[in-house]
Amino acid sequence: MKNIDSKNHVTGRSVYLDDVPEVAGTLYGAAFGSPVAHGHLRAVHLAEAAKVPGVVRIFTARDVTGENQIGGIIPDEPLLAEHKVDFCGMPIAFVVATSDEAARAAVKLITADIEPLPVITDPREAHALGQLIVPPRTFRLGDTAAAWDTCAHVLAGRADSNGQEHLYIETQCAYAVPQENGGVKIYSSTQSPTAGQRTAARVLGVPMHQLEVEVQRLGGGFGGKEDQANAWVGLCALAAHLLHKPVKYVLHRLEDMAMTGKRHPYSTDYKIGLDKDLRILAFEVSYYQNAGAAADLSPAIMERTLFHSTSTYFVPNVTATAYSCHTHLPPNTAFRGFGGPQAKFVMEAAIAQAAEQLGVDACVIQKQNLNRTGDEFPFGQKAVSEAHACWHKAEELYDIDQLRREVEQFNATNTLLKKGLAFMPICFGISFTNTSMNQARALVHIYYDGSVSVSTGAVEMGQGVNTKMLQVAAQVLSIDPGRVRLQSTSTSRIANTSPSAASATADLNGRAVQLACEALVGRLREVAALELGVPESAVALRDEQVLVHNQPSALDWKKVVTAAFLRRVSLSEHAHYATPEVHFNKATEKGHPFAYHVYGTSITVVTMDCLRGTYAVDAVKVVHDFGQSMNPAVDRGQIEGGIVQGIGWMTMEELLYDPTGRLRSNTLSTYKVPDIYSAPKEIAIEPLATDTDNLAIFRSKAVGEPPFMYGIGTYFALRNAIKAFNPQSPVAFDAPMTPEKVLLALYPEAPASAPTRSHERSRVATA
Ligand code: MTE
Ligand code: HPA
Ligand code: MOS
């Protein structure tokens, strides 16, 4: 089935927040963000700004009627700065005016007296000073200390990966419209309507029932709107609450880039030990996560890093420690993979280093150590593994021997062009790692004309979840999908939603839709049995027909629905689903946090121009564990998009903060994201159609985040191409592999080469 949004997207009819018709009298907000990354806030000067024609009011922390707090996991983030500023762009004041232009003109006239304090942008520096967001955590399996002696090879190193701007096409925005009796309805571009509702309730000091958050769809979220949509909801709701007027704020791209947090940069130390047969016996790792200036989701992301420390491999002895380091950057947040990709990059770096030192191809070590069903992860769960199946299928299907020969031949016959090839196996845990979040609800109405309305807690952000929800309803009710309408996501219809995140949205909400529809089918069968005077067990609903003993009866879908209404049988159902079996004990750091894992293998081939340092991705060839895909077209889209986004993170997206904590890569001219020219020339996707009952929906498997990690293969393919040109080059594990870094690695002896790590470079950048 086609994505139900395709046609409206391409004809421009899809409704995003800024397309919601504005209520008469709507006012426009704009935030004044701190120009300084860290300091005591002594005074804010608003008088000049207040004189700008059209300015209605300027709000500061003093105006907050409830609690000036938006921290979700830890209450450490004020909505508006009070005595201190902790990052550049931290909202200090919120101007509300009769036009967007007036609000922004006024923001330019606001000044603040800030007594500067030392700025830390490097997580290791923060760690050395004891500046941690939460206490460190360690996951352990076996005994690494005892294992080193049994290893034939032990090596240690460091791997750094940089952050990443979400660059959702639709910037952050919110629109709050006062309702009667003190209520406020808030349109928000959020992955987490309930988090927005909860934040606004807290900030306003009103019960959650006074507030409704509604979401039609997002122009992308990628994790950036899981928590960070809340601030704008809070600001607009507060202003609407106090002014009794609708207030809207749509961030400009530059504001969005400067004020919001991004993927967490990580700096990591590792030590890896292998036996003579290249089996990894021990792995020790310390992750320094750059959390930024508030917790946001960092503790949960740090936890997911630990859950993925061994990537797709089985390692019998593991000690993995993670530090969430408090720096003066905008609070970093969820981004596709949620800390998993950072862990996988480190493991692949360790393997690449080992391979180089031992003179073998990295894929020999990779393949040798892929996990198998029954292998224990460091957190106690046992793998149900498709790692070998994906790898072998990829080797065969894509004729790896031939591919390798082509690369070798090319490299033997070309001096200034080199090719590189790398495998990237993935294994990604599906479920919120916070067990309580693995629940969802759905509300299904059958109207008496036979049409169906479905509401869930799922937010459509381009990933196609609404199409999947519609498919579930149509399939369980056995009716034409054309009868089903997916409603917007609203906290008044579906309460206490988990964010649409963790790739689990279709699993969780789909199960709830399934339960609701099954209950309705049960009632309709009862009605049909009464109408037809046959036992209920003989009745089935199929393809809009009521069957008795598998033969058509006088009743069809519409007639049985009408009959149910006339018999006063409820045609509505609200269902709840909670993933069974998942649990985790933080005291022991053991449990079964994931419903299942998603596996896959990619093979990436790149060509490098060794004169210029530029490169192209020739192909990414994937075997991906889809389960029984509910919608192959949607799922392929997720894989293609994930791969390109992953390649962007690993190759060209270079986030740069200067030593004062200001974002230098703050525009699309200084921050390069993949475009069609930098996308792989070929993306081949072959399903591994596994068929296990895995707690997903209809034996499908989650697909949102896992393919992002195929992008990591590009980094190592590029590294291999560099090595083909200059085997002596000491290529640091320091992503992204920009053309600039490639050039420095190709010619390390050149005078200007002194390789710098990203955080060191950020210290010298002053332009
Ligand atoms: N795809 C599109 N087009 N837009 C998005 O914002 N977000 C990704 C992924 N794919 C995203 C996307 C992220 S971070 C997650 S967690 C999942 O979709 C969320 O949706 P799902 O749970 O339905 O897979
Ligand atoms: N994944 C994504 N988002 C989340 C998670 C998670 O595990 N936990 C809380 N938010
Ligand atoms: Mo995705 S990072 O879980 O929104």
Side-chain angles (χ1 to χ4, degrees), residues 158-164 263-268 341-342 344-346 349 615 646-656 671 708 711-716 718-719 731-739 741-742 756-759 761:
R158 168 173 166 161
D160 291 6
S161 61
N162 204 339
Q164 186 177 23
R263 181 185 295 283
H264 292 76
Y266 273 63
S267 185
T268 306
Q342 290 93 326
K344 284 183 186 294
F345 177 71
V346 175
Y615 47 76
I647 290 175
W649 174 51
M650 280 284 110
T651 65
M652 66 181 72
E653 298 188 37
E654 195 171 33
L655 200 60
L656 211 70
Y671 184 80
F708 179 90
I712 297 170
T714 306
Y715 186 93
F716 292 92
L718 289 170
R719 193 169 189 279
V731 191
F733 296 106
D734 184 14
M737 184 78 88
T738 57
K741 279 193 209 152
V742 167
T756 52
R757 294 192 170 275
S758 52
H759 69 276
R761 194 180 42 253

Short mmCIF file of all heavy atoms in Angstrom, two decimals, residues 158-164 263-268 341-342 344-346 349 615 646-656 671 708 711-716 718-719 731-739 741-742 756-759 761:
data_model
loop_
_atom_site.label_atom_id
_atom_site.label_comp_id
_atom_site.label_asym_id
_atom_site.label_seq_id
_atom_site.Cartn_x
_atom_site.Cartn_y
_atom_site.Cartn_z
N ARG A 158 41.67 5.34 21.00
CA ARG A 158 40.67 6.36 21.29
C ARG A 158 39.84 6.60 20.03
O ARG A 158 40.38 6.58 18.92
CB ARG A 158 41.41 7.63 21.71
CG ARG A 158 40.53 8.86 21.77
CD ARG A 158 41.29 10.03 22.33
NE ARG A 158 40.54 11.26 22.08
CZ ARG A 158 40.72 12.39 22.72
NH1 ARG A 158 41.64 12.47 23.66
NH2 ARG A 158 40.01 13.45 22.42
N ALA A 159 38.56 6.80 20.21
CA ALA A 159 37.69 7.07 19.06
C ALA A 159 36.73 8.20 19.43
O ALA A 159 36.11 8.16 20.49
CB ALA A 159 36.91 5.82 18.67
N ASP A 160 36.66 9.18 18.57
CA ASP A 160 35.78 10.32 18.80
C ASP A 160 34.78 10.44 17.66
O ASP A 160 35.13 10.29 16.49
CB ASP A 160 36.59 11.63 18.84
CG ASP A 160 37.48 11.71 20.07
OD1 ASP A 160 37.55 10.73 20.83
OD2 ASP A 160 38.11 12.77 20.27
N SER A 161 33.54 10.71 18.03
CA SER A 161 32.56 11.02 16.99
C SER A 161 31.90 12.35 17.35
O SER A 161 31.67 12.64 18.52
CB SER A 161 31.51 9.91 16.84
OG SER A 161 30.80 9.73 18.04
N ASN A 162 31.62 13.14 16.34
CA ASN A 162 31.09 14.48 16.56
C ASN A 162 29.56 14.44 16.64
O ASN A 162 28.93 13.42 16.40
CB ASN A 162 31.57 15.41 15.44
CG ASN A 162 31.59 16.87 15.87
OD1 ASN A 162 30.91 17.26 16.82
ND2 ASN A 162 32.34 17.68 15.16
N GLY A 163 28.99 15.57 16.95
CA GLY A 163 27.53 15.68 17.03
C GLY A 163 26.91 15.76 15.64
O GLY A 163 27.58 15.54 14.63
N GLN A 164 25.63 16.05 15.62
CA GLN A 164 24.92 16.14 14.33
C GLN A 164 23.67 16.98 14.50
O GLN A 164 22.90 16.79 15.45
CB GLN A 164 24.55 14.73 13.84
CG GLN A 164 23.94 14.70 12.43
CD GLN A 164 23.64 13.30 11.95
OE1 GLN A 164 23.47 12.38 12.75
NE2 GLN A 164 23.54 13.13 10.64
N ARG A 263 22.82 15.73 18.21
CA ARG A 263 23.38 14.43 18.60
C ARG A 263 24.57 14.69 19.53
O ARG A 263 25.30 15.65 19.34
CB ARG A 263 23.85 13.66 17.36
CG ARG A 263 24.44 12.30 17.70
CD ARG A 263 25.02 11.57 16.49
NE ARG A 263 24.00 11.24 15.50
CZ ARG A 263 23.12 10.24 15.62
NH1 ARG A 263 23.17 9.45 16.67
NH2 ARG A 263 22.23 10.02 14.69
N HIS A 264 24.76 13.80 20.48
CA HIS A 264 25.87 13.96 21.42
C HIS A 264 27.21 13.61 20.78
O HIS A 264 27.37 12.49 20.28
CB HIS A 264 25.72 13.00 22.61
CG HIS A 264 24.56 13.31 23.51
ND1 HIS A 264 23.27 13.02 23.17
CD2 HIS A 264 24.52 13.88 24.73
CE1 HIS A 264 22.47 13.40 24.16
NE2 HIS A 264 23.20 13.93 25.11
N PRO A 265 28.17 14.53 20.82
CA PRO A 265 29.54 14.13 20.51
C PRO A 265 30.03 13.20 21.64
O PRO A 265 29.65 13.37 22.79
CB PRO A 265 30.33 15.45 20.55
CG PRO A 265 29.30 16.54 20.47
CD PRO A 265 28.07 15.98 21.11
N TYR A 266 30.80 12.21 21.27
CA TYR A 266 31.39 11.30 22.25
C TYR A 266 32.89 11.25 22.04
O TYR A 266 33.36 11.23 20.90
CB TYR A 266 30.86 9.87 22.07
CG TYR A 266 29.58 9.53 22.78
CD1 TYR A 266 28.39 10.19 22.47
CD2 TYR A 266 29.55 8.52 23.74
CE1 TYR A 266 27.20 9.83 23.10
CE2 TYR A 266 28.36 8.16 24.38
CZ TYR A 266 27.19 8.82 24.05
OH TYR A 266 26.01 8.47 24.67
N SER A 267 33.63 11.19 23.14
CA SER A 267 35.04 10.87 23.08
C SER A 267 35.23 9.61 23.91
O SER A 267 34.68 9.51 25.02
CB SER A 267 35.86 12.03 23.66
OG SER A 267 37.22 11.76 23.49
N THR A 268 35.96 8.65 23.39
CA THR A 268 35.96 7.32 24.01
C THR A 268 37.35 6.68 24.04
O THR A 268 38.09 6.78 23.06
CB THR A 268 34.99 6.39 23.23
OG1 THR A 268 33.71 7.03 23.17
CG2 THR A 268 34.85 5.06 23.90
N PRO A 341 24.58 4.53 17.82
CA PRO A 341 25.59 4.69 16.77
C PRO A 341 26.97 5.06 17.33
O PRO A 341 27.99 4.56 16.84
CB PRO A 341 25.03 5.85 15.91
CG PRO A 341 23.54 5.80 16.14
CD PRO A 341 23.38 5.36 17.57
N GLN A 342 26.98 5.90 18.37
CA GLN A 342 28.26 6.30 18.95
C GLN A 342 29.00 5.08 19.49
O GLN A 342 30.22 4.95 19.33
CB GLN A 342 28.02 7.33 20.07
CG GLN A 342 27.55 8.70 19.57
CD GLN A 342 26.04 8.88 19.54
OE1 GLN A 342 25.29 7.93 19.29
NE2 GLN A 342 25.56 10.10 19.79
N LYS A 344 28.61 1.95 18.48
CA LYS A 344 29.00 1.08 17.36
C LYS A 344 30.25 1.60 16.66
O LYS A 344 31.11 0.83 16.22
CB LYS A 344 27.85 0.95 16.36
CG LYS A 344 26.76 0.03 16.88
CD LYS A 344 25.67 -0.15 15.84
CE LYS A 344 24.53 -0.94 16.43
NZ LYS A 344 24.89 -2.33 16.74
N PHE A 345 30.35 2.90 16.56
CA PHE A 345 31.54 3.49 15.93
C PHE A 345 32.80 3.09 16.69
O PHE A 345 33.83 2.75 16.10
CB PHE A 345 31.40 5.02 15.87
CG PHE A 345 32.61 5.71 15.31
CD1 PHE A 345 32.92 5.61 13.96
CD2 PHE A 345 33.45 6.43 16.13
CE1 PHE A 345 34.05 6.24 13.43
CE2 PHE A 345 34.59 7.07 15.61
CZ PHE A 345 34.88 6.97 14.26
N VAL A 346 32.72 3.11 18.01
CA VAL A 346 33.89 2.78 18.83
C VAL A 346 34.30 1.33 18.62
O VAL A 346 35.48 1.01 18.43
CB VAL A 346 33.60 3.05 20.32
CG1 VAL A 346 34.77 2.60 21.18
CG2 VAL A 346 33.30 4.53 20.54
N ALA A 349 35.95 0.91 15.41
CA ALA A 349 37.30 1.50 15.44
C ALA A 349 38.27 0.51 16.09
O ALA A 349 39.38 0.29 15.58
CB ALA A 349 37.28 2.83 16.21
N TYR A 615 35.62 12.41 -2.30
CA TYR A 615 35.25 11.01 -2.44
C TYR A 615 33.78 10.89 -2.82
O TYR A 615 33.01 11.83 -2.70
CB TYR A 615 35.49 10.27 -1.12
CG TYR A 615 34.97 10.99 0.10
CD1 TYR A 615 33.61 11.01 0.40
CD2 TYR A 615 35.85 11.67 0.96
CE1 TYR A 615 33.14 11.68 1.51
CE2 TYR A 615 35.38 12.35 2.08
CZ TYR A 615 34.02 12.36 2.35
OH TYR A 615 33.54 13.03 3.44
N GLY A 646 23.11 8.67 7.99
CA GLY A 646 24.27 8.10 8.66
C GLY A 646 25.57 8.47 7.97
O GLY A 646 26.59 8.76 8.61
N ILE A 647 25.54 8.48 6.66
CA ILE A 647 26.73 8.88 5.89
C ILE A 647 27.05 10.35 6.18
O ILE A 647 28.21 10.73 6.34
CB ILE A 647 26.51 8.63 4.38
CG1 ILE A 647 26.49 7.13 4.09
CG2 ILE A 647 27.60 9.32 3.55
CD1 ILE A 647 26.16 6.77 2.65
N GLY A 648 26.01 11.17 6.27
CA GLY A 648 26.23 12.57 6.60
C GLY A 648 26.96 12.74 7.92
O GLY A 648 27.95 13.48 8.02
N TRP A 649 26.50 12.01 8.93
CA TRP A 649 27.12 12.09 10.27
C TRP A 649 28.59 11.67 10.21
O TRP A 649 29.46 12.28 10.82
CB TRP A 649 26.34 11.19 11.23
CG TRP A 649 26.94 11.05 12.59
CD1 TRP A 649 27.34 12.06 13.43
CD2 TRP A 649 27.21 9.82 13.29
NE1 TRP A 649 27.83 11.53 14.60
CE2 TRP A 649 27.76 10.16 14.55
CE3 TRP A 649 27.03 8.47 12.98
CZ2 TRP A 649 28.14 9.19 15.49
CZ3 TRP A 649 27.40 7.52 13.92
CH2 TRP A 649 27.95 7.88 15.16
N MET A 650 28.87 10.62 9.44
CA MET A 650 30.21 10.03 9.40
C MET A 650 31.17 10.75 8.46
O MET A 650 32.38 10.52 8.53
CB MET A 650 30.07 8.57 8.95
CG MET A 650 29.65 7.64 10.06
SD MET A 650 31.00 7.29 11.20
CE MET A 650 30.50 8.13 12.66
N THR A 651 30.65 11.55 7.53
CA THR A 651 31.56 12.10 6.52
C THR A 651 31.61 13.61 6.43
O THR A 651 32.69 14.18 6.36
CB THR A 651 31.20 11.57 5.11
OG1 THR A 651 29.92 12.07 4.73
CG2 THR A 651 31.22 10.06 5.04
N MET A 652 30.49 14.29 6.40
CA MET A 652 30.57 15.71 6.04
C MET A 652 29.98 16.67 7.05
O MET A 652 30.28 17.84 7.03
CB MET A 652 29.89 15.93 4.69
CG MET A 652 28.40 15.69 4.72
SD MET A 652 27.66 15.94 3.10
CE MET A 652 28.27 14.50 2.25
N GLU A 653 29.12 16.18 7.94
CA GLU A 653 28.45 17.12 8.85
C GLU A 653 29.41 17.44 9.99
O GLU A 653 29.63 16.65 10.89
CB GLU A 653 27.15 16.50 9.36
CG GLU A 653 26.18 16.22 8.23
CD GLU A 653 24.80 15.79 8.70
OE1 GLU A 653 24.33 16.31 9.71
OE2 GLU A 653 24.22 14.92 8.04
N GLU A 654 29.97 18.62 9.94
CA GLU A 654 31.00 18.98 10.91
C GLU A 654 30.50 20.10 11.81
O GLU A 654 30.53 21.28 11.47
CB GLU A 654 32.28 19.40 10.19
CG GLU A 654 33.46 19.42 11.13
CD GLU A 654 34.77 19.63 10.40
OE1 GLU A 654 34.77 20.34 9.37
OE2 GLU A 654 35.79 19.10 10.86
N LEU A 655 30.10 19.68 12.98
CA LEU A 655 29.57 20.61 13.97
C LEU A 655 30.76 21.29 14.63
O LEU A 655 31.69 20.63 15.06
CB LEU A 655 28.80 19.78 14.99
CG LEU A 655 27.78 20.43 15.87
CD1 LEU A 655 26.67 21.05 15.03
CD2 LEU A 655 27.19 19.37 16.79
N LEU A 656 30.69 22.62 14.73
CA LEU A 656 31.85 23.32 15.28
C LEU A 656 31.40 24.39 16.27
O LEU A 656 30.72 25.34 15.91
CB LEU A 656 32.61 23.98 14.12
CG LEU A 656 34.10 24.10 14.31
CD1 LEU A 656 34.76 22.74 14.24
CD2 LEU A 656 34.69 25.01 13.24
N TYR A 671 27.55 24.36 7.41
CA TYR A 671 27.28 23.02 7.90
C TYR A 671 26.71 22.22 6.74
O TYR A 671 25.60 22.47 6.27
CB TYR A 671 26.27 23.05 9.06
CG TYR A 671 26.02 21.70 9.68
CD1 TYR A 671 26.92 21.17 10.60
CD2 TYR A 671 24.91 20.94 9.33
CE1 TYR A 671 26.70 19.92 11.16
CE2 TYR A 671 24.69 19.69 9.90
CZ TYR A 671 25.60 19.19 10.80
OH TYR A 671 25.39 17.95 11.35
N PHE A 708 20.30 3.71 10.08
CA PHE A 708 21.23 4.85 10.24
C PHE A 708 22.66 4.33 10.41
O PHE A 708 23.61 4.92 9.91
CB PHE A 708 20.81 5.68 11.45
CG PHE A 708 21.70 6.86 11.72
CD1 PHE A 708 21.44 8.09 11.15
CD2 PHE A 708 22.82 6.73 12.54
CE1 PHE A 708 22.28 9.18 11.38
CE2 PHE A 708 23.66 7.80 12.78
CZ PHE A 708 23.39 9.03 12.20
N GLY A 711 25.51 3.65 7.85
CA GLY A 711 26.35 4.77 7.44
C GLY A 711 27.76 4.69 8.01
O GLY A 711 28.71 5.23 7.43
N ILE A 712 27.90 4.01 9.16
CA ILE A 712 29.22 3.91 9.79
C ILE A 712 30.19 3.18 8.87
O ILE A 712 31.40 3.45 8.87
CB ILE A 712 29.09 3.21 11.17
CG1 ILE A 712 28.21 4.08 12.09
CG2 ILE A 712 30.46 2.97 11.80
CD1 ILE A 712 27.82 3.39 13.40
N GLY A 713 29.68 2.28 8.06
CA GLY A 713 30.54 1.56 7.11
C GLY A 713 31.29 2.50 6.18
O GLY A 713 32.41 2.20 5.75
N THR A 714 30.68 3.64 5.88
CA THR A 714 31.32 4.58 4.97
C THR A 714 32.62 5.12 5.55
O THR A 714 33.62 5.29 4.85
CB THR A 714 30.36 5.75 4.64
OG1 THR A 714 29.14 5.19 4.17
CG2 THR A 714 30.94 6.66 3.59
N TYR A 715 32.59 5.39 6.86
CA TYR A 715 33.81 5.89 7.51
C TYR A 715 34.96 4.90 7.30
O TYR A 715 36.08 5.28 6.93
CB TYR A 715 33.56 6.09 9.02
CG TYR A 715 34.72 6.73 9.72
CD1 TYR A 715 34.79 8.10 9.88
CD2 TYR A 715 35.79 5.96 10.20
CE1 TYR A 715 35.87 8.70 10.49
CE2 TYR A 715 36.88 6.54 10.80
CZ TYR A 715 36.91 7.92 10.96
OH TYR A 715 37.98 8.51 11.56
N PHE A 716 34.67 3.62 7.51
CA PHE A 716 35.74 2.63 7.45
C PHE A 716 36.12 2.29 6.00
O PHE A 716 37.26 1.95 5.73
CB PHE A 716 35.36 1.41 8.30
CG PHE A 716 35.33 1.77 9.77
CD1 PHE A 716 34.16 2.20 10.37
CD2 PHE A 716 36.51 1.80 10.50
CE1 PHE A 716 34.15 2.60 11.70
CE2 PHE A 716 36.51 2.20 11.83
CZ PHE A 716 35.33 2.61 12.43
N LEU A 718 36.18 4.60 3.71
CA LEU A 718 37.06 5.73 3.39
C LEU A 718 38.45 5.52 4.00
O LEU A 718 39.48 5.78 3.38
CB LEU A 718 36.46 7.05 3.91
CG LEU A 718 35.23 7.56 3.15
CD1 LEU A 718 34.59 8.74 3.89
CD2 LEU A 718 35.61 7.98 1.73
N ARG A 719 38.45 5.04 5.21
CA ARG A 719 39.72 4.78 5.89
C ARG A 719 40.53 3.75 5.09
O ARG A 719 41.74 3.91 4.90
CB ARG A 719 39.42 4.26 7.29
CG ARG A 719 40.61 4.25 8.20
CD ARG A 719 40.21 3.98 9.64
NE ARG A 719 41.35 4.19 10.51
CZ ARG A 719 42.29 3.29 10.70
NH1 ARG A 719 42.22 2.13 10.11
NH2 ARG A 719 43.31 3.56 11.49
N VAL A 731 45.68 7.23 10.57
CA VAL A 731 44.36 7.86 10.50
C VAL A 731 43.68 7.75 11.87
O VAL A 731 43.35 6.65 12.31
CB VAL A 731 43.47 7.18 9.44
CG1 VAL A 731 42.22 8.02 9.19
CG2 VAL A 731 44.23 6.96 8.15
N ALA A 732 43.51 8.89 12.52
CA ALA A 732 42.84 8.87 13.83
C ALA A 732 41.38 8.48 13.64
O ALA A 732 40.79 8.74 12.60
CB ALA A 732 42.95 10.23 14.48
N PHE A 733 40.80 7.86 14.66
CA PHE A 733 39.36 7.58 14.62
C PHE A 733 38.64 8.82 15.12
O PHE A 733 38.45 9.00 16.32
CB PHE A 733 39.04 6.36 15.48
CG PHE A 733 39.68 5.10 14.96
CD1 PHE A 733 40.77 4.55 15.62
CD2 PHE A 733 39.21 4.50 13.81
CE1 PHE A 733 41.38 3.40 15.13
CE2 PHE A 733 39.80 3.35 13.31
CZ PHE A 733 40.90 2.81 13.97
N ASP A 734 38.34 9.68 14.19
CA ASP A 734 37.82 10.99 14.55
C ASP A 734 36.79 11.42 13.49
O ASP A 734 37.12 12.08 12.52
CB ASP A 734 39.00 11.98 14.62
CG ASP A 734 38.57 13.35 15.06
OD1 ASP A 734 37.44 13.49 15.58
OD2 ASP A 734 39.36 14.30 14.88
N ALA A 735 35.56 10.97 13.70
CA ALA A 735 34.51 11.26 12.72
C ALA A 735 33.96 12.67 12.96
O ALA A 735 33.92 13.13 14.09
CB ALA A 735 33.38 10.24 12.87
N PRO A 736 33.53 13.35 11.90
CA PRO A 736 33.36 12.88 10.53
C PRO A 736 34.65 12.93 9.72
O PRO A 736 35.55 13.72 10.00
CB PRO A 736 32.35 13.89 9.95
CG PRO A 736 32.65 15.16 10.68
CD PRO A 736 33.05 14.73 12.07
N MET A 737 34.70 12.07 8.71
CA MET A 737 35.84 12.00 7.79
C MET A 737 35.56 13.00 6.66
O MET A 737 35.13 12.63 5.57
CB MET A 737 35.94 10.58 7.24
CG MET A 737 37.13 10.36 6.35
SD MET A 737 38.66 10.17 7.25
CE MET A 737 38.66 8.40 7.56
N THR A 738 35.83 14.27 6.95
CA THR A 738 35.59 15.30 5.93
C THR A 738 36.69 15.23 4.88
O THR A 738 37.78 14.70 5.14
CB THR A 738 35.64 16.70 6.57
OG1 THR A 738 36.91 16.85 7.21
CG2 THR A 738 34.53 16.87 7.60
N PRO A 739 36.46 15.78 3.69
CA PRO A 739 37.52 15.81 2.68
C PRO A 739 38.80 16.46 3.21
O PRO A 739 39.90 16.03 2.88
CB PRO A 739 36.89 16.63 1.55
CG PRO A 739 35.42 16.36 1.69
CD PRO A 739 35.17 16.26 3.17
N LYS A 741 39.96 16.31 6.28
CA LYS A 741 40.69 15.31 7.09
C LYS A 741 41.27 14.21 6.21
O LYS A 741 42.34 13.68 6.49
CB LYS A 741 39.74 14.68 8.12
CG LYS A 741 39.56 15.54 9.35
CD LYS A 741 38.89 14.70 10.43
CE LYS A 741 38.08 15.60 11.34
NZ LYS A 741 36.95 14.90 11.94
N VAL A 742 40.55 13.88 5.14
CA VAL A 742 41.06 12.87 4.21
C VAL A 742 42.39 13.34 3.63
O VAL A 742 43.38 12.62 3.63
CB VAL A 742 40.05 12.59 3.08
CG1 VAL A 742 40.69 11.79 1.95
CG2 VAL A 742 38.84 11.84 3.63
N THR A 756 44.54 17.45 14.05
CA THR A 756 43.88 17.93 15.27
C THR A 756 42.60 17.18 15.46
O THR A 756 41.93 16.81 14.50
CB THR A 756 43.54 19.42 15.17
OG1 THR A 756 42.83 19.63 13.96
CG2 THR A 756 44.78 20.28 15.19
N ARG A 757 42.27 16.96 16.67
CA ARG A 757 40.98 16.34 16.97
C ARG A 757 39.93 17.43 16.96
O ARG A 757 40.23 18.59 17.16
CB ARG A 757 41.03 15.66 18.33
CG ARG A 757 41.98 14.51 18.31
CD ARG A 757 41.83 13.68 19.54
NE ARG A 757 42.59 12.45 19.37
CZ ARG A 757 42.13 11.39 18.76
NH1 ARG A 757 40.92 11.38 18.26
NH2 ARG A 757 42.88 10.32 18.66
N SER A 758 38.71 17.00 16.78
CA SER A 758 37.66 18.01 16.58
C SER A 758 37.58 18.99 17.74
O SER A 758 37.43 20.17 17.55
CB SER A 758 36.32 17.33 16.36
OG SER A 758 36.09 16.42 17.38
N HIS A 759 37.71 18.48 18.99
CA HIS A 759 37.52 19.43 20.10
C HIS A 759 38.72 20.37 20.20
O HIS A 759 38.60 21.50 20.65
CB HIS A 759 37.30 18.68 21.41
CG HIS A 759 38.50 17.96 21.90
ND1 HIS A 759 38.83 16.72 21.46
CD2 HIS A 759 39.47 18.34 22.77
CE1 HIS A 759 39.96 16.34 22.06
NE2 HIS A 759 40.36 17.31 22.85
N ARG A 761 40.49 21.36 17.58
CA ARG A 761 40.31 22.33 16.52
C ARG A 761 39.28 23.38 16.93
O ARG A 761 39.43 24.54 16.68
CB ARG A 761 39.87 21.63 15.24
CG ARG A 761 39.98 22.53 14.03
CD ARG A 761 39.53 21.79 12.78
NE ARG A 761 38.35 21.03 13.05
CZ ARG A 761 38.33 19.73 13.16
NH1 ARG A 761 39.42 19.04 13.01
NH2 ARG A 761 37.21 19.11 13.41
#
